[in-house]
Amino acid sequence: MADYEVPELHEYPIVPKLQRDVMKHSAPFIAAEKFQGPLGFPGSLPDNWKEVAIDKMGELLGKYRSLQVFLDICVHCGACTDKCHYFLGTTDAKNMPVARQELLRKVYRRYFTFAGKYFPKLVGAVDLTEEVLDDWYSYFHQCSQCRRCSVFCPYGIDTAEISMAAREILDSVGKGHKYCNEIIGKVFVIGNNLGLPEPALRDTLEGLEEEIEEDTGVKVRFPLDEKGADILLITPSADFFAEPHVDGLIGYGKVFHEAGVSWTISSKASEAANFGMFIGSYENMRNVALRIREAALELGVKRIVFGECGHAWRVAYSFLNTLAGPFDFLDQNYPIPQHICEFTNNLLKEGKLRMNKAENDHMKLTFHDSCNVARGAGMGHVEGGQFTIPREVIKASCNYFYDMPQDTIHDATFCCGGGGGLLTDDLMELRVKGAQPRMEALKRVAEDHGVTNLAAICAICKSQFAKTLPYYGFTMDQIVSVHQLVSNAIVMKGSEQEAELDGETE
Ligand code: SF4
Ligand code: SF4
């Protein structure tokens, strides 16, 4: 199945023996000039690349105080070393978070500290060379910016920030990441990551309406570009076509229908994902986010609700107002923006949704906390809402739920292995190996409680698991959307399911 060794799953996590440079060969395809230009980056390494790179580093150090602090304060205590899923899965020493940071820190010391300028050998400072640049390209694309290591660092050093800075410097000298930069370009031109044009989107949504009507007898609408709707739904474009994502979208539609609210999708902002964050580019992140503001204004909506997408929710929850605000034209009585899980959970708590949990009895569920939701955002007005709200929605939708081991969930969750812009086939070996810690935790609940399915609220996690589960003896359909469970269980008014249930109880 693979021309590399798939890591073993153990009964308990084992810290592997360090190996040097075993993943040095792993690097994503470099973006061609046509993908770099529209984003404001050079198409290839300029003659004065070293000067450009050092200037960029200086600019970032000046702009982001946190970056300089993170580069200065590490005491090399080692607490982060065994916390990265890529280190645990690949055993490459440079995938220990502190070692990854050192790749940039060594150059920072050389050009920006007194000791590094005059006594480089004494302080481990190195010149920026093409070899160093290649190491950056390889190993900063072996960090999914998941921030797990920062939870265990006594100083809170965030390797994700360092990896974003490194990628931004790489872009500034023409070493851009093809997968990310090509996608950002598509969002600007077409509106979504997939390059799905408006007519295709409309067709897909009409198809969903027919499917639900056939299945339930109820006409649930999936409106597109409907002016004057109350809610603008911003959702990952994967929701429009791929399983299990689309089953989640069907769930959102049923919830909106039962809530009796008017809503719409926008063809201009038909994408929740914001890959600007992955490449560390504030300008591109802002430009992607501004489409949402423009769509909300053009359609005259009162609220914005986000579908199941992990990093999009981080951008939305933590930065949307800074990037594209103020949102003073929206109804201030609702969270701006709101997560679909919070929307559904509120209705559940108010008793406005009828659920038949037995519809999910063929599954025993566990929940994968997605990194950007768990460690980069919140949800609702309660502390830890990003952990409790999705679980409450799942528990309201099924009878069997079991959490994975405590040290692998909530803010200690393991990345799926495909986050941070690494969900590309040219990084398959890394993705498979990086999934190992999560697979190990899944195996535990499968053995202990008979868990059959893993639910998630992130499009990247769902795609990554669909691809990597089979490498570990599971099947690709074991990953499900949280709103897929809602969709299965919800009993819509006037539906065949309602008639059946009421018939049974009469
Ligand atoms: S942010 Fe995540 S992927 Fe990056 S070094 Fe830390 S644990 Fe590893
Ligand atoms: S835990 Fe923090 S201080 Fe310790 S080695 Fe890692 S990054 Fe440095």
Side-chain angles (χ1 to χ4, degrees):
M1 195 163 173
D3 55 4
Y4 43 84
E5 215 169 300
V6 176
E8 273 177 51
L9 300 184
H10 310 104
E11 196 174 345
Y12 296 100
I14 291 173
V15 178
K17 207 169 151 218
L18 294 182
Q19 299 200 74
R20 196 178 281 275
D21 292 337
V22 287
M23 288 298 284
K24 197 179 172 69
H25 61 279
S26 172
F29 294 149
I30 291 187
E33 197 160 356
K34 65 176 177 185
F35 300 122
Q36 289 284 91
L39 273 57
F41 306 133
S44 58
L45 209 60
D47 292 341
N48 63 340
W49 68 268
K50 200 185 285 194
E51 199 184 324
V52 174
I54 302 298
D55 283 355
K56 190 72 186 174
M57 190 185 281
E59 181 197 317
L60 298 179
L61 289 166
K63 247 194 324 198
Y64 309 123
R65 180 88 184 108
S66 54
L67 178 62
Q68 181 158 3
V69 171
F70 293 156
L71 292 174
D72 281 334
I73 64 171
C74 173
V75 293
H76 298 96
C77 68
C80 62
T81 52
D82 58 351
K83 303 301 184 291
C84 176
H85 52 292
Y86 289 124
F87 167 64
L88 295 172
T90 69
T91 72
D92 190 310
K94 284 183 186 154
N95 276 331
M96 293 189 297
V98 61
R100 193 185 318 285
Q101 296 165 19
E102 281 301 303
L103 297 173
L104 197 82
R105 190 174 281 126
K106 285 192 284 192
V107 176
Y108 158 73
R109 283 202 199 106
R110 179 74 180 97
Y111 298 93
F112 294 93
T113 67
F114 178 84
K117 274 180 195 165
Y118 298 101
F119 315 104
K121 286 207 174 115
L122 277 182
V123 294
V126 300
D127 286 340
L128 181 57
T129 60
E130 282 202 47
E131 204 187 340
V132 170
L133 211 59
D134 287 344
D135 245 14
W136 284 8
Y137 193 74
S138 177
Y139 288 100
F140 285 114
H141 288 108
Q142 296 186 44
C143 168
S144 56
Q145 304 170 343
C146 77
R147 312 176 83 221
R148 186 172 196 265
C149 49
S150 72
V151 171
F152 297 89
C153 170
Y155 295 92
I157 295 174
D158 187 353
T159 316
E161 293 279 325
I162 295 173
S163 132
M164 285 174 195
R167 292 194 196 175
E168 192 167 3
I169 297 168
L170 287 163
D171 263 321
S172 77
V173 294
K175 281 178 85 87
H177 178 183
K178 177 178 182 284
Y179 172 67
C180 284
N181 294 1
E182 191 178 343
I183 278 180
I184 296 171
K186 275 188 205 156
V187 173
F188 290 152
V189 177
I190 301 173
N192 54 59
N193 284 4
L194 299 173
L196 199 68
E198 190 264 344
L201 189 53
R202 196 171 288 281
D203 259 15
T204 304
L205 296 175
E206 282 170 9
L208 293 184
E209 290 178 356
E210 284 163 21
E211 194 183 317
I212 297 177
E213 194 170 2
E214 224 166 84
D215 190 35
T216 66
V218 179
K219 191 157 182 57
V220 172
R221 295 196 58 227
F222 283 80
L224 182 67
D225 294 332
E226 213 151 276
K227 286 200 173 173
D230 282 345
I231 294 173
L232 171 62
L233 174 74
I234 302 289
T235 206
S237 52
D239 281 0
F240 298 128
F241 77 106
E243 284 184 350
H245 315 255
V246 69
D247 304 300
L249 176 60
I250 291 173
Y252 319 154
K254 289 183 181 175
V255 169
F256 288 140
H257 179 88
E258 285 302 282
V261 293
S262 63
W263 66 287
T264 187
I265 289 167
S266 153
S267 59
K268 176 177 192 157
S270 51
E271 179 62 74
N274 191 329
F275 277 32
M277 185 169 82
F278 297 153
I279 62 165
S281 166
Y282 179 86
E283 286 72 26
N284 281 292
M285 189 157 76
R286 182 163 192 272
N287 289 339
V288 173
L290 278 170
R291 293 155 34 256
I292 296 171
R293 178 190 178 82
E294 287 159 14
L297 278 167
E298 280 167 21
L299 294 168
V301 297
K302 300 191 183 90
R303 303 166 63 178
I304 298 177
V305 171
F306 269 73
E308 297 182 3
C309 181
H311 82 281
W313 181 241
R314 181 181 178 200
V315 176
Y317 182 89
S318 305
F319 318 128
L320 195 63
N321 200 44
T322 319
L323 292 168
F327 286 93
D328 47 1
F329 57 91
L330 296 177
D331 188 335
Q332 306 296 307
N333 292 312
Y334 296 96
I336 302 172
Q338 189 172 39
H339 196 280
I340 187 69
C341 283
E342 188 192 0
F343 184 91
T344 302
N345 202 37
N346 287 349
L347 291 169
L348 286 165
K349 282 185 178 157
E350 289 162 16
K352 290 184 177 162
L353 298 180
R354 183 176 177 189
M355 308 295 276
N356 179 17
K357 295 187 193 188
E359 286 292 338
N360 286 312
D361 274 357
H362 55 294
M363 291 185 262
K364 288 189 174 165
L365 274 306
T366 191
F367 178 63
H368 165 74
D369 293 279
S370 300
C371 308
N372 277 298
V373 179
R375 289 184 283 263
M379 199 183 287
H381 292 297
V382 282
E383 203 186 325
Q386 72 272 37
F387 310 127
T388 53
I389 292 173
R391 283 175 172 79
E392 282 169 18
V393 173
I394 296 173
K395 287 176 189 169
S397 308
C398 74
N399 284 311
Y400 307 108
F401 175 80
Y402 306 89
D403 253 323
M404 287 181 275
Q406 281 302 315
D407 55 349
T408 74
I409 60 169
H410 291 195
D411 62 352
T413 187
F414 275 113
C415 173
C416 62
L422 307 182
L423 190 78
T424 167
D425 284 353
D426 38 317
L427 292 177
M428 214 49 225
E429 178 183 357
L430 178 77
R431 287 170 53 190
V432 169
K433 291 181 173 177
Q436 188 255 10
R438 173 46 82 222
M439 294 295 109
E440 209 158 80
L442 177 62
K443 186 169 172 262
R444 281 283 291 284
V445 277
E447 287 173 357
D448 293 352
H449 302 289
V451 161
T452 57
N453 291 79
L454 179 65
I457 52 168
C458 171
I460 287 178
C461 298
K462 292 175 205 172
S463 302
Q464 159 74 352
F465 288 134
K467 204 84 183 244
T468 52
L469 279 164
Y471 286 85
Y472 291 96
F474 300 102
T475 55
M476 62 185 299
D477 58 358
Q478 285 182 268
I479 174 71
V480 295
S481 297
V482 167
H483 273 77
Q484 174 178 355
L485 304 173
V486 174
S487 173
N488 292 346
I490 199 166
V491 183
M492 291 190 294
K493 290 178 212 83
S495 65
E496 289 163 15
Q497 289 75 8
E498 184 188 50
E500 262 171 47
L501 273 179
D502 290 346
E504 276 171 21
T505 53
E506 266 167 22

